[in-house]
Amino acid sequence: MRVPVLIALAGAGLCLGLTACDGSKPLIKRDEKRVAFPAADRPVAHIVSSRWSNEEARDRLNEAGEVMDKAGIARGMTVADIGAGEGYYTIRLAQRVGKAGRVLAEDIVAGVRDTLAERVAREDLENVSVRLGAPADPKLPDASFDRVLMVHMYHEIEQPYEFLWRLRPSLKPDGLVVVVDANRQTQNHGTPPALLKCEFAAVGYAQVAMTEMPSAGGYMATFRAVGPRPEPEAIKPCVLG
């Protein structure tokens, strides 16, 4: 008998919170108009599993360690792992930032997110949070991250200008976006470095460094947000030559 009472109370609270249950005002506030972003002039790769399925093999190459070292990821930092997948980087980031740091692991596939959440709980990683993102919006909290990591997933982003635009506010003033990808065409699960630099620059990011990263199957690039965030209609898309 307690469940109906709780539901009724929740409904009453909802009415009070929204101030209108008599039909005089809409209960849901809708965006007046969706912001329009330019389309990317490039193919988009299909989402696939990680290139290396064996984490021990990746560790023998010191993949995560080398990426974290070159990205300057240290104890106490707050890091977002976008496209976290099965959590190869998430687990190692948690160890690197320590108890004083935080890791937010995100994926856009609910089943993958759930599997990763189970792994995080099983390994008792109290400094890791797992959440579901959206294809064009990572939905990260503002001014929160020292580093945002995207490993072999940038080429799977169908709307890069919107994604990067919505990502910008989540960075701390000295925060960096770290991209690891292969130097090949996007339809072949990579991103040419010149294209990557151009798409980031279109949304107001400056490239800080570009480093060859054989252990991670390509290169690593870091970017910093500079100046004001451009209005969506002012973003000029990169044109492939």
Side-chain angles (χ1 to χ4, degrees):
M1 295 297 292
R2 296 179 64 186
V3 173
V5 173
L6 290 174
I7 293 174
L9 290 174
L14 179 64
C15 289
L16 291 173
L18 294 174
T19 71
C21 285
D22 59 357
S24 61
K25 296 181 181 179
L27 295 179
I28 301 175
K29 183 179 180 181
R30 301 184 184 277
D31 293 334
E32 295 181 359
K33 184 179 180 181
R34 178 175 172 77
V35 179
F37 290 86
D41 181 31
R42 60 170 171 83
V44 178
H46 296 294
I47 297 175
V48 296
S49 60
S50 177
R51 178 184 174 187
W52 296 275
S53 59
N54 188 320
E55 295 192 4
E56 292 182 359
R58 298 175 78 172
D59 280 344
R60 282 197 294 271
L61 296 172
N62 193 30
E63 177 190 337
E66 189 174 358
V67 168
M68 291 188 293
D69 287 345
K70 291 186 180 300
I73 296 173
R75 298 189 72 80
M77 281 189 170
T78 300
V79 182
D81 182 11
I82 307 298
E86 296 178 352
Y88 172 74
Y89 274 88
T90 299
I91 303 306
R92 288 148 185 83
L93 285 167
Q95 296 167 351
R96 176 64 67 96
V97 302
K99 293 182 178 180
R102 295 291 301 171
V103 177
L104 190 154
E106 181 177 292
D107 207 280
I108 65 170
V109 180
V112 173
R113 183 272 318 269
D114 293 344
T115 299
L116 178 55
E118 291 174 0
R119 180 178 184 181
V120 168
R122 186 170 61 251
E123 300 192 22
D124 196 25
L125 300 176
E126 296 183 354
N127 62 343
V128 176
S129 300
V130 181
R131 66 183 298 175
L132 189 68
D137 186 357
K139 299 183 178 181
L140 301 178
D142 289 352
S144 298
F145 296 95
D146 299 289
R147 300 289 186 271
V148 174
L149 196 65
M150 295 190 284
V151 179
H152 289 291
M153 57 76 65
Y154 183 80
H155 50 264
E156 297 172 354
I157 300 175
E158 185 174 356
Q159 298 168 295
Y161 303 111
E162 180 174 1
F163 185 93
L164 295 175
W165 189 87
R166 297 191 185 283
L167 173 67
R168 271 192 57 152
S170 71
L171 293 169
K172 292 182 180 179
D174 57 348
L176 297 176
V177 180
V178 181
V179 177
V180 176
D181 214 339
N183 185 3
R184 51 177 176 258
Q185 297 302 312
T186 52
Q187 65 267 35
N188 297 322
H189 296 278
T191 309
L195 176 62
L196 181 75
K197 182 178 180 180
C198 181
E199 290 185 346
F200 269 80
V203 194
Y205 294 83
Q207 183 173 293
V208 176
M210 172 73 70
T211 308
E212 292 297 318
M213 194 69 63
S215 64
Y219 62 83
M220 187 185 87
T222 53
F223 297 89
R224 186 187 310 278
V226 294
R229 185 173 64 166
E231 294 298 325
E233 59 270 17
I235 296 172
K236 296 181 179 180
C238 303
V239 179
L240 295 176

